[in-house]
Amino acid sequence: MSQSDTVLSALADGVLRLTLNRPDKLNAFNDEMHLALRAGFERAHADEHVRAVLLTGAGRGFSAGQDLGDRDPRKGGTPDLGHTIETFYNPLLRLIRSLEKPVVCAVNGVAAGAGANIAFACDITLAARSARFIQAFAKIGLVPDSGGTWSLPRLVGEARAKALALTAEPLDAETAASWGLIWRVVDDAALIDEASALAARLAAGPTRGLGLTKRAIQAAATNAFDEQLDLERDLQREAGRSADYAEGVTAFLEKRKPEFSGR
Ligand code: LHQ
């Protein structure tokens, strides 16, 4: 399978759909898939026609995390997993979080290890009712990565974060939603349509302002209240200069539907 086959990429109506595509391995990440997914998010950064991203998986899984066959300790040598993180996961997570366009994630099945934490790093995550989330790291002596030790305690609090990470017990989609780990649970058959409609709605929206909103909410994790108020002032100033603000207000006053350009 070539690099491009491991992640299917399609742009329509401003939505770049990226589909993890190693279904026989539950979309576990090998080097090729890492590079292909990164290329997809780099395109999302660079291409002004991309106004939202939809990330999902082919087959019955979303992603089982790192391909453990690729890091087989029986092949000898002492692995440097820090190198894998530095080379592949950290750049990907930074690309997702720094993209000032909405990233919708449709978790179509099991999400384990890095697969789960990538889903939690997206902006709006929906899951099929049959999906489950597993912090599988504890089963193989590893530490949660892909931002999991940052996002889990923030999303669900330290008690639940520790229990999930230390036990590696699967969490069903309904519980994940009720705990605030994800946005919403959808019937399996309806997942991709609902996630696509949401991504299309966002892509047709004032994406410049949505991107600034994403930046502000993420900054709140480390800002003091006063710093956040200053940031809101600065970002509102920027948003107020956008063509989409002018269009939004004009459309409201003219009692018509706005046509946003993302500028
Ligand atoms: C897989 C995998 C997989 C290869 C299923 N690899 N083949 C960062 C730095 C560097 C190194 C290490 O990792 C990391 C980050 C991480 O992500 S660590 C966590 C890695 N992931 C896991 O430990 C999860 C391993 N997988 C599982 O526990 C199960 O497969 C789950 C619970 C996800 C799904 O269970 P089932 O629904 O029962 O499916 P299955 O186990 O039968 O898997 C289906 C096939 O997919 C099977 O292949 P086969 O040829 O036998 O049909 C599995 O071997 C393969 N597969 N995960 N991570």
Side-chain angles (χ1 to χ4, degrees), residues 75-254:
K75 290 177 185 158
T78 310
D80 180 357
L81 301 190
H83 182 261
T84 307
I85 300 286
E86 189 63 27
T87 308
F88 294 117
Y89 288 102
N90 286 357
L92 172 67
L93 272 292
R94 290 187 176 114
L95 279 170
I96 294 172
R97 298 280 296 182
S98 65
L99 180 65
E100 292 201 345
K101 302 172 185 181
V103 180
V104 174
C105 183
V107 180
N108 52 299
V110 66
N117 293 338
I118 289 168
F120 299 146
C122 295
D123 300 318
I124 304 184
T125 297
L126 293 81
R129 204 167 297 283
S130 67
R132 62 211 149 104
F133 298 89
I134 311 172
Q135 293 297 314
F137 312 90
K139 289 188 181 170
I140 53 172
L142 292 185
V143 175
D145 57 31
S146 302
T149 59
W150 190 91
S151 55
L152 284 172
R154 281 175 169 78
L155 292 170
V156 300
E158 194 170 313
R160 284 169 168 167
K162 282 182 180 159
L164 289 173
L166 298 180
T167 67
E169 278 182 23
L171 193 72
D172 63 86
E174 295 277 6
T175 309
S178 73
W179 285 7
L181 265 172
I182 61 169
W183 165 237
R184 185 172 283 170
V185 178
V186 178
D187 286 340
D188 288 28
L191 178 72
I192 199 61
D193 285 349
E194 186 153 330
S196 300
L198 173 61
R201 176 153 65 87
L202 293 167
T207 40
R208 181 100 195 84
L210 301 183
L212 297 176
T213 302
K214 171 173 174 173
R215 195 201 302 175
I217 290 177
Q218 290 180 179
T222 48
N223 271 352
F225 184 65
D226 277 331
E227 291 171 312
Q228 195 68 14
L229 290 180
D230 288 347
L231 179 66
E232 289 177 359
R233 175 203 58 214
D234 294 344
L235 296 183
Q236 201 70 299
R237 182 171 287 143
E238 202 174 328
R241 291 178 181 140
S242 69
D244 281 343
Y245 170 68
E247 168 63 6
V249 175
T250 305
F252 174 78
L253 296 174
E254 293 176 355

Side-chain angles (χ1 to χ4, degrees), residues 24-26 60 64-68 114 132 134 136-137 142 145:
D24 52 326
K25 299 285 182 196
L26 299 179
R60 73 176 177 90
Q66 179 64 36
D67 188 319
L68 297 176
R132 62 211 149 104
I134 311 172
F137 312 90
L142 292 185
D145 57 31

